[in-house]
Amino acid sequence: GMPVNMVSHAHGQGYADLHFLIPQTVERIEFDKGPYYAEYGDFTTAGYVNFVTRDKIDENVAELEVGMFNSYRALALVDVLPARQKADAYLAAEITGSDGAFESPQNFQRINVFGKTVFRLGDRHRTSLSLSHFTSDWSASGQIPQRAVDAGLISRWGSIDNTEGGETSRSNLILSHQFFIDDQSLIKVNFFSTRYLFDLFSNFTFYAADSVNGDQIEQSEGRWLNGGKASYCRSFGTERNQILLNAALGLRSDHIGDIGLWRTKMRSEPLSTVQDGAVQEDNYFGYVDASWSRGHWRVNSALRYDHFLMHYTDRTSLIDYAPIEKGLLSPKLGLVYSPNHDWQLYVKLGKGFHSNDARALLTGGNSLSEALPAAYGADVGMLVKATDKVIVNLAFWHLALDQEFVYVGDEGIVEPSGATVRKGLDIGIRFQPYYWLMFTGDVTYSHARSVELPSGEQFVPLAAWLTTQFSATCNLKSGWSAGLHTRHLADRPADETNTIKAKGYLVADAVVGYSFKRLTVSASLKNLFNTEWKETQFLTTSRLLNEPEPVSDIHFTPGMPFTLSGRLKLSF
């Protein structure tokens, strides 16, 4: 019920940081593709992910994990209301740290605290309250140019500016209540409030703009994020001929009292102000979603409306820009046919959108239509239970975006890159030959092109065209368990002409463990074959101190090398 993505963020539109989430508190992860779901609005173009936290824990847990590069993690989960029938509550705490494999230690530290309680008043009322806080700080070696590594100036674990880094924190409150009016009707009310702080030092171009002090920048913001939603759900008819109606009204309000960009030196000396201001962005929304099921058929139709109010005060130029308003209707339609329990065929059509940075819209002279570029999606697929042990899913998909934008962080501007069309094929297989053994495999082919650029210049930079994953897991009655997981990303275009490539990779991870009564011991092996891979890659124009002019080159951060860690878990 609480959004993760940040609008008009100091580091980039839609920035999402999930470090405030403790994995052991997650009960399930809901996800799906495309802009087909009325419940999810802004940024729901390629799909959505929803993390649902646990209402209670079955046992107390203490974990300790240590590994290479001075890495450690300690976790505690404690039930604070055991054996209560009308209420549950638990606390979770986590501390994590690592220096990483870099020549300049990363000094990464993170602390998470989470608590949740659930009250049940009779059979019809349920109230939940969760509170959490997370804080983190780190040093970074940043993105390094490939030419510097090739020339032997630095290693792949070195840096050009080792004073990069930052700190961030997020405190959350989520309060929800649901009331069953009767066996067919349900009302849900949800409220969330977040205090978020972010401060990041980066250097993407080194000495291209300032040959004396360097090009380091500081991006910073402080934000209050508040909002909520009230929904009504009612079912009609019988199990074989049923109508399900869901309607909701909601609000998301982002008040960013301080947001800016500064040029700095060595993370300590401010040089100049590029941007400094405040943003107020409100998103009012409502939707109606209706599903009809009869026999082998299910039809879903929905209509969502979003209304945005954006305001920016620029303290650098002393301009208080007039607010802008923009609304958007997003229809959705889905059809599912299930001739039996082993087959499911479906077609999904829908319109979604992604909002754009309020600062760019108000200061850059962009047209109002670019505030909420629409996304149009279509999926045709099937899910087949081939045998009792094999499930196969296959889907053809198409996604068209009215406008894509590239955020140029070191300049604090947003550059429009035009409309795009993406289409592809997804194949997934789940095979469980025995109760203790499971294999999974997924392959995705994607074709992404810009539609407004000349022929030969239509490639979308960094858009993956082929990704695959494979995993094998086993859990034996004797207490032993093991798993192997591989992921592959093929070479992909780094520029619009596909003349420069971002290199792909194949990385394998493994884990093995043994459980005895309440004790579990396990070992994790990341990057099992010590593959030299690049985690992030960008085509960037930069200048080193010994270069007379800026040079365009692939800049990257190295992917994790072979890393061994051990974990001890005690349940009580």
Side-chain angles (χ1 to χ4, degrees):
M2 179 184 68
V4 175
N5 299 74
M6 295 293 186
V7 297
S8 302
H9 190 271
H11 188 55
Q13 175 69 355
Y15 182 84
D17 182 357
L18 274 171
H19 284 101
F20 68 88
L21 190 65
I22 301 176
Q24 282 75 6
T25 65
V26 177
E27 179 180 280
R28 67 183 186 276
I29 301 175
E30 301 170 347
F31 62 94
D32 219 320
K33 296 188 306 174
Y36 313 123
Y37 309 95
E39 183 179 354
Y40 305 103
D42 199 3
F43 302 117
T44 310
T45 53
Y48 76 88
V49 180
N50 182 36
F51 296 85
V52 181
T53 55
R54 300 162 66 172
D55 287 343
K56 63 179 181 178
I57 59 174
D58 298 324
E59 56 187 8
N60 300 325
V61 173
E63 286 189 21
L64 177 63
E65 184 174 357
V66 294
M68 298 168 61
F69 312 118
N70 295 323
S71 300
Y72 64 89
R73 177 175 180 264
L75 167 77
L77 280 171
V78 179
D79 187 353
V80 297
L81 283 179
R84 297 290 182 92
Q85 294 183 347
K86 295 187 176 181
D88 292 290
Y90 68 93
L91 294 172
E94 175 192 54
I95 181 169
T96 306
S98 178
D99 284 339
F102 301 93
E103 294 173 7
S104 297
Q106 201 170 10
N107 297 316
F108 170 73
Q109 297 182 75
R110 185 180 75 223
I111 298 175
N112 294 65
V113 180
F114 176 85
K116 186 173 182 180
T117 182
V118 178
F119 302 93
R120 289 172 291 275
L121 304 176
D123 296 330
R124 297 191 180 274
H125 291 269
R126 176 186 175 279
T127 301
S128 71
L129 171 67
S130 66
L131 297 167
S132 64
H133 176 72
F134 133 84
T135 182
S136 178
D137 61 87
W138 66 96
S139 299
S141 296
Q143 300 162 15
I144 57 175
Q146 183 65 53
R147 64 185 186 277
V149 178
D150 293 340
L153 300 177
I154 60 173
S155 76
R156 59 186 278 107
W157 302 105
S159 63
I160 303 299
D161 182 352
N162 67 353
T163 63
E164 296 187 39
E167 56 184 345
T168 185
S169 67
R170 179 167 178 160
S171 302
N172 308 300
L173 179 151
I174 305 174
L175 178 64
S176 64
H177 180 78
Q178 65 181 33
F179 167 51
F180 286 91
I181 301 173
D182 51 42
D183 291 341
Q184 287 78 40
S185 303
L186 172 66
I187 292 177
K188 294 182 180 180
V189 180
N190 180 76
F191 169 78
F192 60 84
S193 181
T194 292
R195 176 58 175 167
Y196 174 77
L197 300 174
F198 177 88
D199 195 23
L200 178 66
F201 294 85
S202 307
N203 191 341
F204 303 111
T205 55
F206 310 125
Y207 294 95
D210 190 332
S211 60
V212 176
N213 298 300
D215 299 350
Q216 187 179 92
I217 59 172
E218 178 185 7
Q219 297 166 315
S220 178
E221 73 164 60
R223 162 189 320 240
W224 280 101
L225 167 61
N226 299 301
K229 183 176 73 172
S231 62
Y232 172 74
C233 182
R234 180 173 176 81
S235 62
F236 304 87
T238 64
E239 185 176 346
R240 288 190 54 81
N241 187 11
Q242 186 180 65
I243 295 176
L244 185 64
L245 179 67
N246 194 0
L249 292 172
L251 164 68
R252 168 181 175 159
S253 179
D254 289 77
H255 175 71
I256 315 169
D258 296 286
I259 183 170
L261 172 66
W262 294 267
R263 301 202 178 278
T264 59
K265 181 180 180 181
M266 298 184 69
R267 201 168 163 177
S268 59
E269 182 181 341
L271 299 177
S272 62
T273 300
V274 180
Q275 286 185 346
D276 183 20
V279 173
Q280 179 67 44
E281 186 167 335
D282 298 320
N283 173 204
Y284 304 89
F285 63 88
Y287 61 84
V288 176
D289 188 315
S291 295
W292 173 60
S293 301
R294 181 181 175 87
H296 303 303
W297 295 90
R298 184 170 78 250
V299 180
N300 174 255
S301 62
L303 184 64
R304 180 185 172 104
Y305 177 73
D306 287 88
H307 190 86
F308 278 76
L309 178 65
M310 302 179 180
H311 179 219
Y312 177 54
T313 300
D314 188 345
R315 290 192 282 261
T316 305
S317 58
L318 301 179
I319 298 176
D320 189 15
Y321 290 91
I324 61 172
E325 293 189 62
K326 178 70 175 180
L328 185 73
L329 276 171
S330 302
K332 328 277 186 179
L333 180 64
L335 177 64
V336 179
Y337 174 63
S338 303
N340 53 53
H341 292 296
D342 297 331
W343 280 81
Q344 185 180 91
L345 308 174
Y346 63 85
V347 177
K348 298 178 183 179
L349 304 170
K351 177 184 177 184
F353 71 97
H354 69 87
S355 65
N356 280 312
D357 194 295
R359 295 168 297 169
L361 293 166
L362 288 159
T363 64
N366 295 320
S367 67
L368 193 59
S369 63
E370 294 172 343
L372 306 174
Y376 302 90
D379 270 64
V380 178
M382 64 179 181
L383 182 65
V384 181
K385 187 176 181 181
T387 72
D388 289 341
K389 300 177 180 181
V390 178
I391 295 178
V392 179
N393 63 74
L394 175 70
F396 297 91
W397 55 268
H398 184 279
L399 182 67
L401 295 174
D402 278 351
Q403 183 67 274
E404 290 201 31
F405 283 77
V406 176
Y407 183 68
V408 186
D410 51 339
E411 298 294 337
I413 60 175
V414 176
E415 294 180 346
S417 57
T420 61
V421 171
R422 302 165 188 259
K423 50 191 173 183
L425 169 67
D426 294 348
I427 303 174
I429 298 176
R430 306 291 180 264
F431 174 42
Q432 188 172 7
Y434 306 101
Y435 74 91
W436 51 268
L437 183 62
M438 169 74 82
F439 297 99
T440 72
D442 294 280
V443 178
T444 294
Y445 165 78
S446 304
H447 183 273
R449 294 292 186 270
S450 297
V451 299
E452 299 176 0
L453 295 177
S455 178
E457 301 178 13
Q458 295 181 318
F459 291 89
V460 178
L462 302 183
W465 72 271
L466 180 66
T467 59
T468 64
Q469 78 84 23
F470 169 82
S471 68
T473 58
C474 68
N475 292 279
L476 303 177
K477 286 184 177 180
S478 61
W480 286 98
S481 63
L484 175 69
H485 179 259
T486 68
R487 62 189 187 277
H488 171 249
L489 177 65
D491 292 354
R492 58 202 190 279
D495 64 350
E496 290 81 358
T497 61
N498 196 24
T499 55
I500 302 176
K501 301 281 190 180
K503 295 296 183 181
Y505 58 82
L506 173 64
V507 175
D509 301 326
V511 63
V512 60
Y514 179 74
S515 296
F516 176 73
K517 295 184 178 180
R518 295 185 173 273
L519 184 66
T520 300
V521 181
S522 62
S524 176
L525 299 91
K526 300 291 186 181
N527 194 354
L528 185 61
F529 304 109
N530 202 26
T531 302
E532 286 195 0
W533 62 290
K534 298 173 181 177
E535 191 165 26
T536 60
Q537 298 178 72
F538 300 94
L539 180 62
T540 304
T541 300
S542 65
R543 176 176 176 262
L544 304 178
L545 265 179
N546 63 341
E547 294 176 332
E549 297 293 335
V551 178
S552 292
D553 188 16
I554 289 290
H555 292 54
F556 70 96
T557 56
M560 178 184 292
F562 172 80
T563 305
L564 174 65
S565 62
R567 182 173 68 103
L568 187 66
K569 175 184 174 182
L570 177 65
S571 304
F572 58 97

